């Protein structure tokens, strides 16, 4: 069965549509959605079957899966990382929501992903109303991956209709929140006690 193509307003998401998608996520759906950088593909972190499906779709072995969570706020982040010291917290408060992924050591609240313990986790709070509304209502993070294009010149697909054609037989819902970007988030690694930019993306760190 083909995925549903669902248009949601990118600035003021319709609560009824958000609730509809969240209900599907709770049932194990895999969803494509916009962020403040590029379109992502994700599911409910706490739904094992959905995570299995996400791994299959993205063709990633669990051992190689780099966890990235979309969270709703800073208190949500603290549930899944081992510790955030005061300078790190000030950095997060200054830059989030925004186009950053912050890498921390994970804590015991992060479930075993297909029986694989992951020691680190990437945390995102995107400055985009749709994913924030989804995780706020879901009350769990979305485990997420970027939508990449096979085109060597255009690495990231920006057109939701084009994304739908690529994923309509793989996912359950493709959310149309308008044209996406083609620059990913900036990755900042905090696991060694200092901030190290490991990928320069849209966000300017420093």
């Amino acid at each position: 069965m083909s995925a549903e193509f669902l248009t949601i307003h990118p600035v003021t998401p319709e609560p009824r549509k958000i609730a509809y998608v969240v209900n599907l996520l709770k049932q194990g759906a895999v969803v494509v959605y916009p962020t403040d950088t590029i379109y992502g593909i994700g599911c409910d972190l706490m739904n094992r079957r959905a995570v299995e499906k996400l791994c299959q779709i993205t063709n990633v072995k669990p051992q190689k899966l780099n966890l990235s969570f979309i969270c709703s706020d800073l208190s949500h982040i603290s549930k899944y990382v081992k510790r955030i010291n005061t300078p790190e917290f000030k950095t997060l408060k200054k830059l989030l929501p925004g186009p950053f992924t912050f890498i921390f050591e994970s804590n015991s609240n992060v479930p075993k992903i297909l029986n694989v313990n992951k020691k680190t986790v990437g945390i995102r709070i995107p400055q985009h109303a749709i994913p924030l509304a989804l995780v706020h209502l879901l009350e769990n993070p979305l485990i997420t991956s970027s939508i990449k294009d096979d085109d060597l010149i255009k690495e990231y697909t920006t057109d939701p209709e084009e994304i739908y054609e690529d994923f309509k037989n793989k996912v359950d819902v493709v959310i149309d929140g308008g044209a996406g970007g083609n620059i990913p988030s900036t990755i900042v690694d905090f696991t060694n006690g200092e901030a190290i930019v490991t990928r320069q993306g849209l966000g300017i760190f420093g």
Side-chain angles (χ1 to χ4, degrees):
M1 191 170 73
S2 293
E4 184 172 356
F5 188 73
L6 182 64
T7 300
I8 297 180
H9 197 283
V11 179
T12 54
E14 299 86 342
R16 176 182 57 81
K17 293 182 178 179
I18 293 296
Y20 173 73
V21 175
V22 167
N23 185 52
L24 293 176
L25 286 166
K26 288 179 178 178
Q27 296 175 43
V30 176
V31 176
V32 171
Y33 48 87
T35 74
D36 54 350
T37 55
I38 56 186
Y39 267 79
I41 177 173
C43 65
D44 181 355
L45 171 66
M46 301 302 176
N47 191 305
R48 183 184 176 88
R49 284 183 301 130
V51 175
E52 287 180 3
K53 184 176 177 181
L54 180 66
C55 286
Q56 291 170 355
I57 293 169
T58 56
N59 196 29
V60 175
K61 294 179 180 179
Q63 293 84 352
K64 300 290 185 182
L65 184 66
N66 290 320
L67 293 182
S68 189
F69 299 169
I70 289 187
C71 294
S72 56
D73 53 37
L74 293 181
S75 63
H76 204 193
I77 289 176
S78 65
K79 293 181 180 180
Y80 300 99
V81 304
K82 187 172 283 187
R83 60 185 166 274
I84 303 175
N85 63 35
T86 299
E88 291 166 353
F89 183 83
K90 287 181 178 178
T91 298
L92 297 185
K93 196 170 182 181
K94 175 185 175 184
L95 297 177
L96 296 176
F100 293 90
T101 300
F102 291 100
I103 311 296
F104 287 97
E105 286 187 72
S106 59
N107 66 20
S108 58
N109 287 333
V110 176
K112 285 186 177 181
I113 304 299
L114 309 189
N115 294 321
V116 176
N117 278 318
K118 301 297 288 186
K119 295 182 179 179
T120 62
V121 60
I123 298 293
R124 283 219 65 204
I125 303 179
Q127 195 167 24
H128 196 293
I130 290 175
L132 290 182
L134 291 173
V135 293
H136 179 75
L137 189 59
L138 181 63
E139 297 183 335
N140 291 331
L142 290 175
I143 181 169
T144 186
S145 179
S146 302
I147 297 288
K148 287 204 172 187
D149 199 287
D150 292 331
D151 192 314
L152 292 176
I153 298 173
K154 185 187 65 179
E155 186 176 5
Y156 296 100
T157 306
T158 60
D159 183 348
E161 293 187 2
E162 190 177 324
I163 293 170
Y164 178 77
E165 289 303 316
D166 290 341
F167 285 88
K168 64 183 179 182
N169 296 317
K170 299 177 182 179
V171 304
D172 300 287
V173 181
V174 173
I175 295 174
D176 174 12
N182 60 3
I183 302 175
S185 63
T186 294
I187 298 177
V188 182
D189 190 336
F190 277 129
T191 57
N192 291 319
E194 58 179 321
I196 299 173
V197 176
T198 59
R199 180 181 73 189
Q200 182 60 57
L202 188 62
I204 304 301
F205 183 80

